[in-house]
Amino acid sequence: MKIRVATYNIHKGVSSLRATPRVIALKKAIAEFNADIVFLQEVQGRHDRYQARFGKEDRGHRHWPETAQYDYFAGDSHHTAYGMNAVYDHGHHGNALLSAFPIENSHNHDVSDHAYEQRGILHCVLETPAARVHCYVVHLGLFEGSRGRQTAQLIEAVNESSDGEPVIIAGDFNDWRNTLSDRLRNGLGVAEVFDELGPRSPLGDMVRSWAGRSPRLAPARTFPAALPWFRLDRIYVRGFKVDNAQVLHGPLWAKLSDHAPIVAELQLE
């Protein structure tokens, strides 16, 4: 069974500069993924100020939806789950999952490491025709120490809740030095989708082979979207074969968010 997945940090549906709404364009872009499962970070569940400012009709168009962003993006084609993380006077945001498959249940794990960053891991169990699939939407902290502790909580949560069934973990790991991948591989038996597909240097692989070292594994560059350099966004899988994976970049994606999305096609083993 093939499953197409995507992960995308949407920057709350507004541009980095001047907070221009991008929600309408994001809905069209997310539809272009043609994905069965979409992992979203920084999703606005509610924002009263933006709703008041952009929610009224202007020349027959709205620039801000009346519903929560995740429901607006899902439309009639996908089921939704939302994990509320950051709460403020005028609204809240968090992680969300859009799924073409029924969502059997969902639970948001609070992994906030200090008072200045509210973080969560949204766990959803999907009922696919072939098997139950456990999905974890992740957005880790900005500080390395926090990310390490949150990764330990992620490993514990996956081991306790997945029962050895297929697993997809995706989101914004903020792990620009790539210090967490080996911990996840060793702790969960997962692979990152670019482990086998990502570009490598044949000469570098040959030298590492001579030295008895394993090939260098590195996620794709996704940030900033205008000129991706940092490797922040990931998709880790267990129980799947990766057919292909790509980062979507270019002028369109640079306008929508500060992160570029990743789309991957998986084969359930």
Side-chain angles (χ1 to χ4, degrees):
M1 175 182 171
K2 289 188 176 182
I3 298 178
R4 185 173 173 89
V5 304
T7 184
Y8 198 14
N9 182 325
I10 66 167
H11 199 263
K12 306 182 187 72
V14 297
S15 63
S16 299
L17 297 176
R18 302 173 60 186
T20 304
R22 294 281 189 254
V23 187
I24 310 301
L26 278 166
K27 180 181 175 69
K28 296 177 181 178
I30 290 170
E32 288 185 14
F33 296 159
N34 195 28
D36 301 299
I37 311 170
V38 183
F39 297 70
L40 297 174
Q41 306 86 53
E42 294 195 22
V43 180
Q44 292 278 5
R46 196 187 98 228
H47 198 298
D48 295 340
R49 293 178 184 173
Y50 288 150
Q51 181 66 48
R53 183 178 177 187
F54 302 117
K56 298 178 181 178
E57 284 199 8
D58 178 19
R59 299 177 184 177
H61 298 282
R62 290 179 182 270
H63 299 285
W64 198 264
E66 294 180 294
T67 60
Q69 287 181 356
Y70 49 90
D71 284 332
Y72 177 69
F73 296 144
D76 297 327
S77 61
H78 285 63
H79 306 273
T80 63
Y82 174 63
M84 182 171 61
N85 296 330
V87 182
Y88 25 85
D89 291 342
H90 49 275
H92 49 79
H93 71 264
N95 299 325
L97 188 86
L98 316 182
S99 172
F101 308 109
I103 300 175
E104 180 181 298
N105 59 68
S106 65
H107 175 71
N108 196 45
H109 300 262
D110 184 359
V111 294
S112 302
D113 195 60
H114 51 81
Y116 302 102
E117 284 186 309
Q118 290 74 49
R119 304 288 181 177
I121 297 168
L122 176 62
H123 172 212
C124 301
V125 182
L126 309 186
E127 297 177 347
T128 79
R132 296 203 317 168
V133 175
H134 294 258
C135 296
Y136 301 82
V137 193
V138 174
H139 190 187
L140 301 187
L142 297 175
F143 301 101
E144 188 166 9
S146 294
R147 292 194 296 272
R149 289 183 286 273
Q150 289 162 349
T151 298
Q153 293 180 72
L154 171 61
I155 291 172
E156 181 179 6
V158 175
N159 280 331
E160 288 182 351
S161 60
S162 63
D163 298 322
E165 293 177 311
V167 165
I168 307 172
I169 307 168
D172 177 2
F173 286 76
N174 274 315
D175 181 26
W176 60 277
R177 294 202 307 132
N178 194 27
T179 62
L180 302 177
S181 286
D182 284 345
R183 291 182 61 179
L184 290 167
R185 292 186 188 100
N186 295 333
L188 296 173
V190 296
E192 210 277 325
V193 292
F194 289 97
D195 282 355
E196 300 298 328
L197 303 175
R200 294 183 188 157
S201 163
L203 178 60
D205 282 354
M206 183 172 64
V207 171
R208 277 183 282 273
S209 177
W210 287 343
R213 294 159 53 194
S214 300
R216 180 176 179 270
L217 303 178
R221 304 179 192 273
T222 58
F223 182 90
L227 188 64
W229 182 255
F230 295 104
R231 308 174 190 273
L232 302 188
D233 303 271
R234 320 272 174 84
I235 301 175
Y236 295 93
V237 298
R238 186 180 72 199
F240 291 91
K241 176 183 178 294
V242 182
D243 286 343
N244 63 69
Q246 61 177 322
V247 178
L248 304 182
H249 52 79
L252 167 66
W253 301 103
K255 293 178 182 178
L256 295 178
S257 174
D258 52 350
H259 288 248
I262 297 174
V263 179
E265 290 189 351
L266 311 176
Q267 183 77 40
L268 188 62
E269 292 182 338

